[in-house]
Amino acid sequence: MNPSRPAARPVRLPDPFLIEAQVRAALAEDVGAGDLTAALVPRDQRARAELITREPAVICGGAWFETVFRVLDPEIAVRWEVADGDRIRPGQRLALIEGPSAGLLTGERTAMNYLQTLSGTATRAAEFAAAVAGLPVAVLDTRKTLPGLRVQQKYAVLCGGCHNHRMGLFDAILIKENHILAAGSIPAALAAAATAGAGVEIQIEVESLDELQTALDGGAELVLLDNFALGDLRLAVAMSAGRARLEASGGVTLATIRAIAETGVDRISVGALTKDVTAVDLSMRFVG
C-alpha cells in the first residue's frame, strides 16, 4: 500500500468512453473551430513540459488530463510520476508531457482545469476524512456538484477518502420536506416509496425528534437528520437504537464534523466536499 494515499480502499475509474465524451465536450467549449494562437506554431515543432505542484494536495484527475492530449494529438505522451489519490508536496514533479507543441499548447488549459479542480475536490475530501479518523462514521458527498462535473467530482471524493451518496435522482429515493407535504404525511410518503422503490435505497429527511419517531414507527431504515443540534443528534441515536441508520446533514464544517461524528450517527453528508472547492495550484511549463 502506498503510504502517501489517504484512501485505503480501491477506487474504480469511471468508464473511459464516458471520460472521453466529457473531455471532447470540454475541448469543444474551449477550442471551438480551432486554436487561433497555437496555429502560429510550426506544425513539426515538438516540446517537452513538466507538470509540477506549488502546494501540498491530493492529486486527482489524471485520466481526464491525459485524455485531453490523446484526443488532440495521439503523438503526445504523458508519463506520470504520481497516481490519483497520492499526496503531493510543493515543488514536486507530477508528470512529463512530450509531443507536438501545438497540441500541448491547445490542451493545456482544459487539461489543467480538470486536474486542478478534481485535485481540489480530493484534497477537500481528504481533510474531512482526516477530521473523523478513527470513528465509525462515513463522510458522504451530496448532489451539490459543479454542473457537468458530477461523475468527476464524485470520483475525486473517493480518491480523497470519503464516500459517495446517490449519483442523482435516478439511483436512490430521498424523501424531503416537500415530498412529505405532497404525500400528506411521513407514513404515506414511506409507503409510496416502498411501492415505487424497485429495490433502491430509500431515505427520509426529518427535522425534529418527533418526526424521527414517526419515521421509525413507519419502518424507515435510513433517516437524514436535517440541521439537528448535537444534543438532539445524541437523542436521535438513542431513540433509533439501531433500528435505522442515521445520517447527519446541514452546515457541516471541518470545525464541527468530529463532534457530530462523536454523537454516534452512522453517516454525515457534506455539501462542501464538492461545492466549496479551491483549485490546487499546479503548473505545466515547457522545459528545454
Side-chain angles (χ1 to χ4, degrees), residues 30-41 72 101-108:
D30 195 37
V31 181
D35 182 349
L36 300 178
T37 311
L40 306 176
V41 177
L72 286 169
S101 298
L104 294 180
L105 292 166
T106 297
E108 177 184 3

Coordinates of all heavy atoms in Angstrom, one line a residue, residues 30-41 72 101-108:
D30 N -13.7 25.1 -25.3 CA -12.6 25.9 -25.3 C -12.0 26.2 -26.7 O -11.6 27.3 -27.0 CB -11.5 25.3 -24.4 CG -10.4 26.3 -24.0 OD1 -10.7 27.5 -23.8 OD2 -9.2 25.8 -23.9
V31 N -11.9 25.1 -27.5 CA -11.2 25.2 -28.8 C -12.1 25.7 -29.9 O -11.7 26.4 -30.8 CB -10.6 23.9 -29.2 CG1 -9.8 24.0 -30.5 CG2 -9.6 23.4 -28.1
G32 N -13.4 25.3 -29.8 CA -14.4 25.7 -30.9 C -13.9 25.3 -32.3 O -13.5 24.1 -32.5
A33 N -13.9 26.2 -33.2 CA -13.5 25.9 -34.6 C -12.0 25.8 -34.7 O -11.5 25.3 -35.8 CB -14.0 27.0 -35.5
G34 N -11.2 26.1 -33.7 CA -9.8 25.9 -33.8 C -9.0 26.9 -32.9 O -9.5 28.0 -32.6
D35 N -7.8 26.5 -32.5 CA -7.0 27.4 -31.6 C -6.2 28.3 -32.5 O -5.2 28.0 -33.1 CB -6.0 26.5 -30.8 CG -5.2 27.2 -29.9 OD1 -5.1 28.5 -29.9 OD2 -4.5 26.6 -29.0
L36 N -6.6 29.6 -32.5 CA -6.0 30.6 -33.4 C -4.6 30.9 -33.0 O -3.7 31.1 -33.9 CB -6.8 31.9 -33.4 CG -8.3 31.8 -33.9 CD1 -9.0 33.1 -33.7 CD2 -8.3 31.2 -35.3
T37 N -4.3 30.9 -31.7 CA -2.9 31.2 -31.3 C -2.0 30.0 -31.6 O -0.8 30.3 -32.0 CB -2.9 31.5 -29.8 OG1 -3.9 32.5 -29.5 CG2 -1.6 32.2 -29.4
A38 N -2.4 28.8 -31.2 CA -1.5 27.7 -31.5 C -1.2 27.5 -33.0 O -0.2 26.8 -33.3 CB -2.1 26.4 -30.9
A39 N -2.1 28.0 -33.8 CA -1.9 27.9 -35.3 C -0.6 28.6 -35.7 O -0.1 28.4 -36.8 CB -3.1 28.4 -36.0
L40 N -0.1 29.5 -34.9 CA 1.1 30.2 -35.2 C 2.4 29.4 -35.0 O 3.4 29.8 -35.5 CB 1.2 31.5 -34.4 CG 0.0 32.4 -34.4 CD1 0.2 33.6 -33.4 CD2 -0.3 32.9 -35.8
V41 N 2.2 28.3 -34.3 CA 3.4 27.4 -34.1 C 3.6 26.4 -35.2 O 2.6 25.9 -35.7 CB 3.1 26.6 -32.8 CG1 4.3 25.7 -32.5 CG2 2.9 27.6 -31.6
L72 N -6.5 15.3 -28.7 CA -5.9 16.4 -29.6 C -4.9 15.9 -30.5 O -4.8 16.2 -31.7 CB -5.4 17.5 -28.7 CG -6.4 18.4 -28.0 CD1 -5.7 19.3 -27.0 CD2 -7.2 19.3 -29.1
S101 N 4.2 20.7 -30.2 CA 4.0 21.9 -29.4 C 2.6 22.4 -29.5 O 2.0 22.8 -28.5 CB 5.0 23.0 -29.8 OG 6.3 22.6 -29.6
A102 N 2.0 22.4 -30.7 CA 0.7 22.9 -30.9 C -0.4 22.2 -30.0 O -1.2 22.9 -29.4 CB 0.3 22.9 -32.4
G103 N -0.3 20.9 -30.0 CA -1.2 20.1 -29.2 C -1.1 20.4 -27.7 O -2.0 20.5 -27.0
L104 N 0.2 20.5 -27.3 CA 0.4 20.8 -25.9 C -0.2 22.2 -25.5 O -0.8 22.3 -24.4 CB 1.9 20.8 -25.6 CG 2.7 19.5 -25.7 CD1 4.2 19.7 -25.4 CD2 2.1 18.5 -24.8
L105 N 0.0 23.2 -26.3 CA -0.5 24.5 -26.1 C -2.0 24.5 -26.1 O -2.7 25.2 -25.2 CB 0.1 25.5 -27.1 CG 1.6 25.7 -27.0 CD1 2.1 26.4 -28.3 CD2 1.9 26.5 -25.8
T106 N -2.6 23.8 -27.0 CA -4.1 23.8 -27.2 C -4.7 23.2 -26.0 O -5.8 23.6 -25.4 CB -4.5 23.2 -28.5 OG1 -4.0 23.9 -29.6 CG2 -6.0 23.1 -28.6
G107 N -4.2 22.0 -25.5 CA -4.8 21.3 -24.5 C -4.5 21.7 -23.1 O -5.2 21.3 -22.1
E108 N -3.5 22.5 -22.9 CA -3.0 22.9 -21.6 C -4.1 23.3 -20.6 O -4.3 22.8 -19.5 CB -1.9 23.9 -21.6 CG -1.4 24.4 -20.3 CD -0.4 25.5 -20.3 OE1 -0.1 26.0 -21.5 OE2 0.1 25.9 -19.3

